[in-house]
Amino acid sequence: MTSIGTGYDLANSIFSPDGRNFQVEYAVKAVENGGTAIGIRCKDGVVLAVEKIITSKLLKPGANKRIATVDRHLGVAYSGMVPDGRHFVDRARDEARAWRDTFKTPISTADLASRMGGYMQAYTLYQSVRPFGITAIVGGFDSREEAPVDGEVGSGPSCGAGGKVSSKTHGGPFLYMIEPSGLYWGYYGAATGKGRQAAKAELEKLDLSGAEGGITLEQAVKEAARIIYVAHDDSKDKEFELEMTWISGADGPTKGLHQEVPKALREEAERLAKKALESDDEDEGTEEKKGEEKMEE
Amino acid sequence: MAAMFSQNPLMNGPNYSFNDSPRTSAPEGAREHRFDPYTDNGGSTLAIAGADFTIMAGDTRLTSGYSINSRHHPKLFKIGGTTADQKDATIVLSVVGFAADGEALKERLDAICKMYRYRHGKPMSVKACAQRLSTILYQKRFFPYYAYAILGGLDEEGKGAVYSYDPVGSYEREQCRAGGAAASLIMPFLDNQVNFKNQYIPNSGEGHALQERERRPLSRNEVEVLVKDAFDGAVERHIEVGDGLQMMVITKDGIEEILMPLKRD
Amino acid sequence: MDHRPQAWGRPRDDIYGAYDASYLQTSGPKTATQSPVVTGTSVIAIKFKDGIVMAADNLASYGSLARFTDVKRLRTFLDTSVVGFGGDVSDMQFLDRHLKELAIDEAYEHNDDQQQQDDDDSHHKSTPGTALNAANLHKYLQKLMYRRRNDFDPLWNQILVGGLDAARKPFLASVDLRGTAFTSPSLATGFGAALAQPIMRRYAATDEDAARLTREQAVDVVKECMKVLFYRDARSLDRYSIAVVTKDGVELSEDEQLERQSWAFAERIRGYGTQTV
């Protein structure tokens, strides 16, 4: 941050001489302090998980959710400034609804990511606004079936050329991450917030690209829980709640909808996560002992 | 050459319709319609005031034309209670005519009575409620609620009170009233049996000298029998009345609801 | 050629007659739906022990023309309720889109619902959830229809709503284009009110009777009624949709075919058509 104090960080829409927008970089800093949020795209769905730091014992457990539903098949998790995230979600819902109004069909995950990327980018352009203090992870499952148009009548020709290629598949699980600059990429696994480094390291170990067959949705739920626990390790003193949602295809457990992971499965995943963490600690412990022994020698 | 640019069709060949302006004009916001927003859903209601009680009654059939839509569609509603089940209500409204308007009317009156309770900390008196109901009806004078309403309760002295209405808000406190499809069948029966009309003391005189039978307040049991008889008679002679009889007895102890079967033919 | 650009591409009065622009009015009376155009015929439904069965054929008629033969007139709502539409098909589409929007709004609150359901399963089944149930949906539709009739812009439908109520008991109710709403152990719209309702009432005259019906019995009754309707309602089809709603959700089958039809009775009909004897 060599240019701090030179005046180039006072407003959006002004570049520094070395081509940086400092307001955007400060927004990224805001995200880096937020609770960890991750998303995993696997063979048959998407899992979103956040580490919700409990800031007060007076807050009702399980209330004030961080992961929001945008459309029936779309969910958003975010890290950073919560009010900014809430506004982001409101806008995403408006976009999804407007899409349905015009095209009478659900918005695809890619299109929503594009719309929202554009929206966030606009907040880096003007004097009068500041960038979003969040990084959002957008997960969705675009219908693999021929999606009916809302309120449609009839199902088209039952024979002859209907413009349908029988061998071609459509839709599937998708995951995008949008940063304060408006930059967005599609990911196999995405992580943001305080524990993102540890989380990314763990995500990279998973076979998400499907090179070795990929992982299933249920495995992904368990991995997501474990990764949040691993990422939380550095700030152990603070209590947190694990919040997880998932989206499967029409043939999966959520029937194509974005839903909270059922309580039983979440608790099971948390139990396994804690167990995995303990065994890790034990390993570290023995390693340390070995080290000490070596020292003595 | 001049003909080439002329707007005169005689000089320039065929003409075209340029005029897209409307041929008729009506006042802004005026609407043309063929849709009839009303129907008659049949049924009948009845209310009788006693010395320290009021009995309201109605059949539970809902018709449209010759079809029976429902055999259990209540026409009596408790008004102004504080809970969803209206267990602390003190007033009963009966509506008959067009069912959707009746229900809308009931919900409006109920909401108003509830607001009154929250603001004043006491339930609305029947007298006040009766006046308010008249106002509600009259406010929709030019697109009326097509419903014949009867309001029942106990007045400030604890006496039975029955108020009857026409669809545009004219109202009157009465001893008894029948409403709806079989009103014309039941009302004369009530005149005779409640107000003892055309009942004379035998051998009390000739012609105008005949003495009317003296009126006396009826007991609750007598009235309940009267109501049942009135409806049994109406069911026999009117196709839109039947299936079930819903009765509400309002006393100082609250409202008691009674359901009885009627003929379902 | 004609040198008035306004005239280019316009029909000539001497060939087509002067254009009647009266329907293009921008001022003047606002015209709402005056009568239905493309229509669906009967919807029928009956309650049983632990839910409801509803059916409607897949036909959308344009007057007496069988215009669309694969129109699905039963729509599900949040996997808890089913809505059956009789009457105008475009108004049905409007309502379907509207209800989908409502369902998405409900999904925003999915977290609370999930929580509620978890609580319900472990403790008391009767706790009403926060999700919209069939009774709520019916009330909503009634208010919507009544409002539209007050605006003289009715949605030209008769609608059946089936599912479970707040106490998780079977719920079945109807609402029409005037906002008139009612419930009954069995319901039918249109021709069904005359042809199917008497048959269904034989099996479920009261709620107590309906509570004794099994799912299989209820489905059989409804299928039988669909057959009677196909025999006698000229604006009906032998392909139909049938839905069963229980506490486990909605099972909707949209491509059923009427089975075991018998047209023997048609031989005995005299007095119509061309026969002379």
Side-chain angles (χ1 to χ4, degrees), chain B residues 31 36-37 68 70 101 107, chain C residues 143 146 149 151 183 201:
Chain B
R31 285 162 182 221
D36 178 5
I68 298 171
S70 177
D101 271 352
E107 286 187 3
Chain C
K143 299 265 169 185
Y146 184 66
R149 90 110 216 185
D151 294 343
T183 83
R201 278 183 182 154

Side-chain angles (χ1 to χ4, degrees), chain B residues 18-36:
Chain B
F18 292 118
N19 186 11
D20 283 348
S21 62
R23 290 179 176 179
T24 56
S25 62
E28 188 70 27
R31 285 162 182 221
E32 183 187 301
H33 55 263
R34 252 171 298 172
F35 165 64
D36 178 5

Side-chain angles (χ1 to χ4, degrees), chain A residues 66-88:
Chain A
R66 281 295 165 71
I67 308 179
T69 303
V70 164
D71 201 327
R72 299 209 292 185
H73 62 299
L74 288 168
V76 168
Y78 53 87
S79 173
M81 303 173 72
V82 177
D84 286 26
R86 292 255 169 84
H87 176 72
F88 178 90

Side-chain angles (χ1 to χ4, degrees), chain C residues 13-274:
Chain C
D13 285 359
D14 56 338
I15 295 174
Y16 297 101
Y19 185 70
D20 177 11
S22 60
Y23 83 98
L24 287 172
Q25 292 165 14
T26 49
S27 67
K30 178 188 181 300
T31 47
T33 310
Q34 312 275 318
S35 55
V37 182
V38 177
T39 57
T41 182
S42 324
V43 186
I44 61 171
I46 191 169
K47 284 189 201 173
F48 66 93
K49 196 156 51 112
D50 20 51
I52 66 107
V53 186
M54 192 184 289
D57 68 27
N58 292 351
L59 180 69
S61 307
Y62 179 69
S64 58
L65 173 71
R67 181 64 185 82
F68 303 102
T69 54
D70 60 349
V71 176
K72 315 300 189 291
R73 296 194 291 124
L74 301 186
R75 305 283 160 132
T76 60
F77 183 77
L78 287 177
D79 205 38
T80 61
S81 321
V82 60
V83 187
F85 294 89
D88 192 275
V89 169
S90 67
D91 285 347
M92 172 185 89
Q93 290 174 300
F94 168 82
L95 280 167
D96 186 41
R97 280 201 284 274
H98 186 76
L99 290 180
K100 195 155 277 177
E101 222 169 87
L102 196 68
I104 292 168
D105 283 347
E106 285 293 302
Y108 293 161
E109 312 300 326
H110 68 100
N111 297 333
D112 295 345
D113 294 341
Q114 191 76 41
Q115 200 76 39
Q116 194 79 44
Q117 274 169 18
D118 288 346
D119 288 350
D120 283 358
D121 290 342
S122 52
H123 307 299
H124 26 258
K125 277 257 189 272
S126 62
T127 311
T130 49
L132 283 186
N133 58 43
N136 302 143
L137 178 64
H138 173 254
K139 195 75 174 176
Y140 181 90
L141 283 170
Q142 188 211 340
K143 299 265 169 185
L144 181 72
M145 300 294 272
Y146 184 66
R147 196 206 164 116
R148 291 292 294 253
R149 90 110 216 185
N150 281 345
D151 294 343
F152 282 97
D153 188 10
L155 294 166
W156 218 287
N157 298 106
Q158 184 156 68
I159 299 170
L160 299 189
V161 182
L164 301 181
D165 64 10
R168 302 201 176 187
K169 288 225 165 61
F171 175 87
L172 178 60
S174 163
V175 59
D176 70 6
L177 71 167
R178 294 184 179 87
T180 316
F182 48 88
T183 83
S184 185
S186 64
L187 284 173
T189 75
F191 251 105
L195 294 176
Q197 188 69 305
I199 300 172
M200 292 192 289
R201 278 183 182 154
R202 279 218 291 270
Y203 298 91
T206 62
D207 271 330
E208 291 76 47
D209 293 340
R212 280 192 288 272
L213 280 183
T214 65
R215 177 191 166 131
E216 288 69 30
Q217 284 172 314
V219 169
D220 285 347
V221 171
V222 164
K223 287 189 170 174
E224 194 59 30
C225 288
M226 288 309 287
K227 195 149 68 180
V228 170
L229 282 168
F230 181 57
Y231 287 151
R232 281 296 182 174
D233 180 357
R235 309 281 171 264
S236 69
L237 200 67
D238 55 353
R239 296 215 156 261
Y240 65 100
S241 308
I242 188 164
V244 180
V245 192
T246 60
K247 66 176 185 345
D248 302 321
V250 183
E251 288 161 59
L252 175 61
S253 164
E254 293 186 315
D255 200 20
E256 296 274 323
Q257 165 79 42
L258 275 187
E259 287 161 357
R260 297 197 306 281
Q261 292 177 42
S262 164
W263 288 87
F265 74 93
E267 300 273 312
R268 299 191 301 271
I269 295 177
R270 288 289 178 271
Y272 303 98
T274 53

Side-chain angles (χ1 to χ4, degrees), chain A residues 120-183:
Chain A
M120 271 175 69
Q121 193 268 151
Y123 278 72
T124 67
L125 295 174
Y126 304 100
Q127 287 276 13
S128 52
V129 295
R130 63 166 175 78
F132 277 76
I134 59 156
T135 288
I137 298 174
V138 179
F141 201 110
D142 301 344
S143 178
R144 280 199 164 119
E145 284 70 45
E146 182 141 1
V149 173
D150 289 357
E152 77 172 10
V153 160
S155 43
S158 53
C159 58
K164 300 163 197 165
V165 182
S166 58
S167 58
K168 200 177 173 198
T169 57
H170 300 270
F174 291 99
L175 184 70
Y176 288 85
M177 184 160 76
I178 313 175
E179 293 169 30
S181 62
L183 175 96

